[in-house]
Amino acid sequence: MDKLIKWTILGTIAGVILAFNMYHADYKLLAAQVGTIVLISMLLIQYSSSEARRAESRSSRLASYIRFAQYSLRSLARTILKNPAIWFLAVCVLSFILSPHKLVSGYELYKIASWIIFGMIAGYCVGREVKINDVVNVWLTCAGIIAIYGILQYFGIDFMQFRLQHHRIVANFGNPTLLAGFLAMTLPVAVARIYKPQTRIGVNLPQCGFGVCIVILLLTCLVLTRSRAGIAVALAGIFILFIGTGKIKFRSAMLIVAGILGVVFILTLLPLTKDVIFDTITRKTLRFDIWSNTFQLIRADPLMGTGIGTFSLYFPNFVTEDILKAHFVGVEFVNHAHSEYLEIFSEMGILGLAAFLVVIGTVIARRPVQPPRLPLWATSEVGQNMRAGLFAAFIVVLLNNIVGVDLRYTSTGMFFWMMTGMLTAGKSEAISYQPSAINRRRPVLNAAIMIAALIVIYFTVKPYMEIQKVRGQDFFSKDISRIDNKIENMESAGEEKDADYFFNLGVLYAKKEDFKKATECFFAAVEKNPLHAGAYNNLGNINVVMGNIESAEGFFQKAVEAEPASAEYLINLASARFKLNKMEQGMAALEKALVIDPDNSRALLLRRQMTQ
């Protein structure tokens, strides 16, 4: 069981880094959620079997269950009271309960709960089942792989055919800012692996060739993301690392700084990269305007906020025309505050921000200085360097999220909470468990836990599978002659020309993209039957195709009024409002659609678009 726990943690770390963060589905989040569920299941089996065996050896079977329950509750209470991450999670749960948009808030809560639980478990397992070197090696190896892919992508070798945003590399992260945040967080850990204060120059090159290559790859890829904040906080993190080791050598610092400047200098000389460097420095930002509008949203409810994960729904109500013109093009809109602290403040109020700041303060306060206070994996000098590297990476995330929201995404969020668990494990009194073989007298309990885990995994994976069904759907027909034959047969059949006749005829004209004739038919259907929901819906669809979104919204609204129990019409209405930047009203319609049809592929995809 101990080896399974170890490989689950390492496999989840690798999966989160290497998985794709794509438009249709965030597979990084899927890897994190499945890994967390499996890890919880194995720990429950191990812990319950161990405690049941110890209790049964001291008393009767009934008393053993009572003793086991009492011990578990006491351990859980100690963990909740002493672990600030659990406090923050509790505030997130409260925000979900108070949120008027349970669909959006529940999705955000599920993400954050997965990251926090995995991070706390991983932190407590390091030094027991997992060694810190194993975690760092897997982390850096996978980071090196995606850095190589990002660099190749810049030079035109793109296996996944991701669209480069203004020639900024995205690797497999789908977004240059997310990639930059991850690379900036990883760089101090990579430098900590090669930093040897006891040597003359601070780096033992023969023994650290792998680490040196990783540092160069990460830095090169980070520069090509053109993220000014990412580059700045990465450099700050490296200097924090020097301070954290307590053994700063001027020669060591100068060597690493010279190496960083050397990489940047070379990139400024290369024809394909020099423009990137200069543009990165001179590029303008609208973050200050967005922050100003966010403060207006915060004033609406400063105590509890709008509800976890609901920023994108309410922010359009406070946005100015300048921001709207600069950001809102089609379905692109301001979906985040571009500052994690302001976004937490706006969504969960002063209570949520205070809980998050307590987590930060606890990590900084518990950061040990004397070796006796170090956790098991940091008692050696190498371990102390790694701890300093993790602490520097932790600070890098906090600095970068002053101007970003990387913590909202798995690539940074899960690692942040994992580092939080590792850096607080030395002082925290977590639920303890004794490694032992699974108790053969408890097969029913073990089987029940595993079955429950499989059920949860199924419902975790299912939305991702449903979203993929949206691809490849095309309403329009390529066989125009066949459509013409059907139209001719209908017109010559002598059928009663009621509302359904005109509706079916309009569908045929729409399939051949004759929108003028189709519109005439659908209006004729409405004249015959003013409550014909299908005709209103198709008039809305035609207006969407023609780019008349405001008119489309009106027709979809009439379709919903005529047939309020139709998930299809509600989804179309939500989609039109989404394109008009009416996020709150659009989500209200989408929530009703998902109540009617929880597994609807279009609804699940639209939810992701509106929340991410």
Side-chain angles (χ1 to χ4, degrees), residues 435-554:
S436 63
I438 296 177
N439 189 346
R440 295 182 179 178
R441 289 172 291 180
R442 303 293 300 281
V444 176
L445 175 62
N446 298 337
I449 292 175
M450 292 306 298
I451 291 173
L454 292 174
I455 293 174
V456 174
I457 290 173
Y458 170 75
F459 284 106
T460 299
V461 175
K462 189 175 181 180
Y464 292 86
M465 299 171 60
E466 291 294 332
I467 284 175
Q468 301 308 311
K469 294 180 180 179
V470 181
R471 291 181 174 180
Q473 295 181 358
D474 189 5
F475 171 80
F476 303 111
S477 176
K478 296 179 181 179
D479 190 354
I480 303 299
S481 60
R482 184 179 178 186
I483 299 297
D484 288 334
N485 290 333
K486 287 186 176 181
I487 293 174
E488 185 178 348
N489 291 336
M490 283 190 65
E491 292 178 341
S492 62
E495 296 181 20
E496 181 184 354
K497 295 184 177 181
D498 57 5
D500 289 337
Y501 169 84
F502 285 110
F503 172 77
N504 293 329
L505 189 61
V507 169
L508 292 176
Y509 278 116
K511 281 185 175 292
K512 61 179 292 187
E513 301 186 58
D514 188 345
F515 298 128
K516 182 178 180 180
K517 288 272 191 175
T519 300
E520 293 174 358
C521 290
F522 291 135
F523 272 120
V526 170
E527 289 179 4
K528 295 286 185 179
N529 180 8
L531 296 179
H532 200 294
Y536 285 124
N537 180 67
N538 282 347
L539 284 169
N541 287 329
I542 290 175
N543 277 273
V544 168
V545 174
M546 301 299 291
N548 304 320
I549 309 300
E550 292 185 357
S551 298
E553 181 194 14

Side-chain angles (χ1 to χ4, degrees), residues 29-194:
L29 177 59
L30 178 60
Q33 290 172 338
V34 172
T36 302
I37 293 168
V38 173
L39 192 60
I40 292 173
S41 302
M42 289 190 293
L43 287 178
L44 282 174
I45 292 174
Q46 187 184 64
Y47 175 70
S48 61
S49 300
S50 174
E51 290 304 315
R53 173 175 291 182
R54 291 197 298 170
E56 288 177 1
S57 64
R58 294 192 297 265
S59 58
S60 66
R61 183 176 296 273
L62 178 61
S64 70
Y65 288 126
I66 297 174
R67 191 183 298 274
F68 171 68
Q70 291 175 340
Y71 180 83
S72 299
L73 289 174
R74 286 197 302 269
S75 299
L76 182 62
R78 286 198 302 269
T79 301
I80 292 175
L81 292 175
K82 293 182 178 291
N83 194 326
I86 305 299
W87 302 352
F88 179 71
L89 181 57
V91 176
C92 292
V93 173
L94 177 62
S95 181
F96 161 73
I97 294 173
L98 299 178
S99 172
H101 295 280
K102 293 292 190 296
L103 179 71
V104 177
S105 295
Y107 180 70
E108 191 73 15
L109 177 63
Y110 187 31
K111 291 195 306 182
I112 293 176
S114 300
W115 301 336
I116 292 178
I117 293 171
F118 177 86
M120 296 300 101
I121 292 175
Y124 299 135
C125 288
V126 168
R128 298 175 177 91
E129 286 82 9
V130 187
K131 294 181 180 180
I132 185 61
N133 286 337
D134 294 334
V135 172
V136 171
N137 287 338
V138 170
W139 182 350
L140 295 182
T141 300
C142 296
I145 292 172
I146 63 103
I148 291 173
Y149 175 50
I151 295 170
L152 292 175
Q153 188 180 64
Y154 182 84
F155 291 100
I157 305 174
D158 190 358
F159 308 111
M160 297 174 58
Q161 299 298 314
F162 272 176
R163 178 176 62 89
L164 294 181
Q165 301 178 4
H166 310 294
H167 217 52
R168 300 174 66 184
I169 62 175
V170 299
N172 61 330
F173 281 60
N175 184 287
T177 303
L178 298 183
L179 175 61
F182 173 78
L183 295 173
M185 171 186 66
T186 306
L187 261 171
V189 179
V191 173
R193 193 181 187 280
I194 65 174

Side-chain angles (χ1 to χ4, degrees), residues 532-534 536-537 554-564 566 569:
H532 200 294
Y536 285 124
N537 180 67
F555 286 121
F556 290 140
Q557 180 64 48
K558 290 181 179 180
V560 170
E561 292 172 357
E563 194 173 329
S566 171
Y569 303 157

Side-chain angles (χ1 to χ4, degrees), residues 1-18:
M1 183 64 72
D2 298 341
K3 290 184 177 180
L4 289 175
I5 291 174
K6 169 185 174 180
W7 289 109
T8 299
I9 292 175
L10 297 180
T12 303
I13 292 172
V16 165
I17 298 174
L18 298 178

Side-chain angles (χ1 to χ4, degrees), residues 355-423:
F356 185 67
L357 294 177
V358 167
V359 174
I360 298 172
T362 302
V363 173
I364 296 174
R366 288 181 178 180
R367 179 172 173 265
V369 179
Q370 302 298 327
R373 293 179 59 196
L374 294 174
L376 296 177
W377 50 268
T379 52
S380 65
E381 187 170 19
V382 175
Q384 191 169 358
N385 280 354
M386 281 291 95
R387 185 178 182 83
L390 289 173
F391 181 76
F394 179 85
I395 298 299
V396 163
V397 175
L398 298 179
L399 293 175
N400 195 42
N401 277 269
I402 294 175
V403 295
V405 287
D406 295 353
L407 282 174
R408 298 284 164 150
Y409 296 89
T410 309
S411 51
T412 299
M414 192 195 78
F415 281 88
F416 173 82
W417 292 107
M418 184 178 72
M419 291 186 293
T420 300
M422 291 179 179
L423 293 169

Side-chain angles (χ1 to χ4, degrees), residues 291 294-295 298 337 339-347 353:
W291 293 345
T294 302
F295 277 113
I298 290 172
S339 173
E340 181 65 28
Y341 306 96
L342 289 180
E343 189 148 341
I344 291 176
F345 199 177
S346 66
E347 291 182 350
L353 182 60

